[in-house]
Amino acid sequence: MTTTDPFPGFHVRAGKAADGPYAVDITPERAGWGYSSLRVLDLPPGGSHSLVTGDSEWIVLPLSGGCTVIAEGETFELHGRESVFSGVSDFVYLPRDSHAQIASGAGGRFALTGARCERRLPARYGPASAVPVELRGSGNCSRQVNNFAAAAPAGGGKSGGGFECDKLIAVEVLTPGGNWSSYPPHKHDQCRPGEESELEEIYYFEIAEAHGNEGVGYQRVSPSGHGRGTDVLAEVRSGDTVLIPDGWHGPSIAAPGHDMYYLNVMAGPEEERAWLICDHPDHAWIRATWPDQPVDPRLPLYRAPAGDPR
């Protein structure tokens, strides 16, 4: 059933955000906020889809499989990947007020990360070889971050280079089974120049199966005293999303034996595109313990390729 009604809560289970051709369709209207969007498109072999970008900039990111994207008079061939657990993917940036055609000969699953924006930047290709792969944390807080569309570091912002967008920030996080990520809990729901950014955020999850069993993880969001008082304690599975308009978010917990992937999509009203966070004061001390522990030897799950294959 197709619906464009707002979601009743912040944890949206797989299938509940489907709309038309999209397995997931999170728009600002459905989320009840102003900027961030996420769509997940499943294409069968030989399938195609037309995307009108409207007032938002978008990145086409293969989750599984590859595709061809035609936009702005150019054709971009995306090699993609077998799955989110197998390698870094290349991607394509699409400007606002544009039209794109996405087609896949072998079929696949593709994330469309979006943000309402003002500037119209050029369409362009992002090679997998240029994606900074960061190992963050240590011990059982170790995780891998693929900073494919991170904001450039500024005043303590996210590390790992930067890909130019007007508003959109998007990264992938991989957490080995049994580990905690998005920890210590942190927030970005106030504009405090040089200290904290105001950003809406979407988490989209895929959890690895093990021994023929479906994967599971857990996500916590607690009220910060700002905004909508977001409060979530959710068991998450592949295809689930969690919406975070405000609040302390974390931990994201991967069950033992089941590696966890999540795609973070962020955007907000501030003029500067930056990822500045504030740690929860009760848990911030954990960062000071990281230098005394080794990074989980299971990481990285993979590295960016040395060069683009084409």
Side-chain angles (χ1 to χ4, degrees), residues 17-300:
D19 188 33
Y22 302 115
V24 174
D25 187 14
I26 308 288
T27 64
E29 291 79 10
R30 298 185 78 187
W33 58 33
Y35 295 89
S36 298
S37 295
L38 173 67
R39 292 169 171 168
V40 176
L41 175 68
D42 285 316
L43 288 179
S48 64
H49 176 70
S50 294
L51 173 68
V52 177
T53 62
D55 62 0
S56 296
E57 57 187 347
W58 296 86
I59 284 178
V60 180
L61 176 74
L63 300 174
S64 63
C67 65
T68 299
V69 181
I70 301 174
E72 301 287 289
E74 296 188 66
T75 299
F76 303 96
E77 297 288 347
L78 294 184
H79 177 72
R81 53 189 164 183
E82 182 180 347
S83 79
V84 296
F85 298 105
S86 67
V88 177
S89 182
D90 49 2
F91 59 94
V92 166
Y93 174 91
L94 302 174
R96 61 166 291 162
D97 302 317
S98 186
H99 175 272
Q101 189 78 12
I102 304 168
S104 179
R109 188 170 179 86
F110 308 96
L112 311 177
T113 65
R116 282 182 173 153
C117 65
E118 298 177 3
R119 288 193 299 151
R120 191 173 191 275
L121 301 174
R124 59 200 187 278
Y125 173 75
S129 58
V131 174
V133 174
E134 173 192 358
L135 300 187
R136 189 176 298 172
S138 66
N140 60 2
C141 290
S142 302
R143 60 271 205 181
Q144 172 177 333
V145 185
N146 300 337
N147 288 303
F148 72 95
K158 181 179 291 291
S159 62
F163 181 84
E164 186 184 11
C165 301
D166 186 30
K167 294 288 188 183
L168 177 64
I169 299 172
V171 302
E172 301 178 303
V173 181
L174 295 123
T175 308
N179 284 9
W180 287 26
S181 60
S182 197
Y183 194 76
H186 59 278
K187 74 181 186 77
H188 40 68
D189 56 15
Q190 292 178 281
C191 177
R192 297 188 298 136
E195 296 184 29
E196 183 179 350
S197 307
E198 183 180 350
L199 296 166
E200 311 152 351
E201 185 162 15
I202 303 167
Y203 277 54
Y204 165 79
F205 293 89
E206 294 196 5
I207 315 292
E209 296 182 355
H211 302 284
N213 297 311
E214 181 185 12
V216 64
Y218 296 88
Q219 176 68 42
R220 179 71 171 121
V221 186
S222 57
S224 65
H226 302 280
R228 293 156 64 176
T230 307
D231 195 346
V232 177
L233 177 56
E235 182 176 279
V236 293
R237 299 174 184 270
S238 289
D240 286 10
T241 55
V242 172
L243 310 182
I244 305 175
D246 48 69
W248 305 105
H249 42 289
S252 304
I253 304 172
H258 297 278
D259 294 343
M260 168 188 281
Y261 164 94
Y262 52 86
L263 172 63
N264 290 143
V265 182
M266 293 169 274
E270 297 185 32
E271 183 175 348
E272 180 187 9
R273 174 178 171 256
W275 188 80
L276 300 175
I277 65 171
C278 175
D279 286 339
H280 194 296
D282 293 347
H283 305 283
W285 61 268
I286 195 70
R287 289 191 190 273
T289 70
W290 291 349
D292 299 325
Q293 304 176 68
V295 173
D296 191 315
R298 294 174 291 178
L299 292 175

